[in-house]
Amino acid sequence: MIGRLRGILVEKHAPEIVLECAGVGYEVTLPMTSFYHLPQLNQETTIYTHFVVREDAQLLYGFANQTERKLFRLLIKVNGVGPKLALAILSNMSANQFVNCVTLDDVSTIVKIPGVGKKTAERLLIEMRDKLKDWGLDIDTPVSDSLVLEQHGDDVLITPAVDAKGDAITALVSLGYKQAQADKAVKAVLKPEMSSEELIRDALKSML
């Protein structure tokens, strides 16, 4: 089991990165709430990971803190929720926001996430309510000093992408949104000089 990686961030293509550790480049997929915490390229960072082995692939999922990883692990234990859907859920809302949805029985917000129908949302709320009943949610601080809070866009140090709009649309599609839906959401929030991370964050917020 690979539980944590510390290395140099050499590639960023939301929601995936390549982290070089001791000469080995690990491909890792992150929920966007963790992706926003990443430093600039060629800087060192640490992420917590969850390793998934399938018949046709071995996949690494990364998280900015242990709280998000813990919630991811609880989500994939729910019937009908796999890693891809859990990733989509944590890309649309923070762990804290998800717990609030469960506490408030907020089906309307959950069903806006791609891949989550009404029945799945209701099952999520029922099963997660029991799992989170005694959860004292103390969000961990990021594991790297260079990480920043995802909601404070003005403080994020980002290198503008050559094609931020295209990168943002591709990322949203990979998270489960339809091409037309992703294109519409990105165009609605697009402003000059926005990075792909900013576009993704604002587009996701506009769809919830």
Side-chain angles (χ1 to χ4, degrees):
M1 176 72 71
I2 302 174
R4 190 177 72 170
L5 291 173
R6 184 179 184 87
I8 303 299
L9 183 64
V10 294
E11 291 185 29
K12 287 173 66 177
H13 301 289
E16 299 177 349
I17 66 169
V18 174
L19 194 66
E20 186 174 309
C21 307
V24 179
Y26 291 89
E27 295 180 344
V28 189
T29 303
L30 287 73
M32 290 309 302
T33 45
S34 289
F35 198 92
Y36 302 140
H37 285 285
L38 294 170
Q40 296 185 63
L41 291 177
N42 300 316
Q43 292 188 8
E44 187 179 78
T45 189
T46 302
I47 57 174
Y48 292 97
T49 58
H50 178 79
F51 188 42
V52 174
V53 179
R54 303 190 323 209
E55 291 185 1
D56 59 343
Q58 296 184 24
L59 306 171
L60 265 178
Y61 295 93
F63 307 90
N65 56 59
Q66 295 184 72
T67 298
E68 288 198 347
R69 183 178 65 178
K70 181 180 179 181
L71 183 55
F72 175 86
R73 288 173 170 173
L74 289 176
L75 283 168
I76 61 177
K77 291 179 181 179
V78 175
N79 184 34
V81 178
K84 184 176 182 179
L85 185 52
L87 192 76
I89 292 171
L90 287 175
S91 289
N92 281 272
M93 59 183 67
S94 67
N96 203 14
Q97 290 170 327
F98 178 80
V99 173
N100 284 336
C101 281
V102 173
T103 302
L104 299 173
D105 204 27
D106 187 359
V107 175
S108 61
T109 297
I110 300 294
V111 295
K112 294 178 182 179
I113 298 171
V116 181
K118 186 176 180 181
K119 289 185 177 180
T120 300
E122 291 173 345
R123 184 167 58 247
L124 261 172
L125 293 178
I126 292 171
E127 294 193 29
M128 292 302 293
R129 190 180 301 126
D130 292 334
K131 297 178 186 297
L132 299 174
K133 185 183 300 182
D134 300 320
W135 182 326
L137 191 67
D138 296 320
I139 298 297
D140 296 337
T141 54
V143 292
S144 170
D145 291 338
S146 59
L147 303 184
V148 293
L149 295 175
E150 77 264 5
Q151 297 300 326
H152 294 76
D154 292 340
D155 297 327
V156 181
L157 298 176
I158 313 171
T159 301
V162 175
D163 184 13
K165 177 183 174 184
D167 288 346
I169 292 172
T170 299
L172 292 175
V173 171
S174 72
L175 291 173
Y177 289 96
K178 295 180 180 179
Q179 180 74 32
Q181 188 179 14
D183 187 68
K184 181 179 179 180
V186 170
K187 285 182 178 178
V189 300
L190 182 63
K191 295 178 182 178
E193 306 303 322
M194 289 183 76
S195 69
S196 58
E197 286 94 338
E198 290 173 314
L199 277 173
I200 296 165
R201 183 190 62 225
D202 289 354
L204 286 170
K205 288 169 65 177
S206 74
M207 290 186 283
L208 284 181

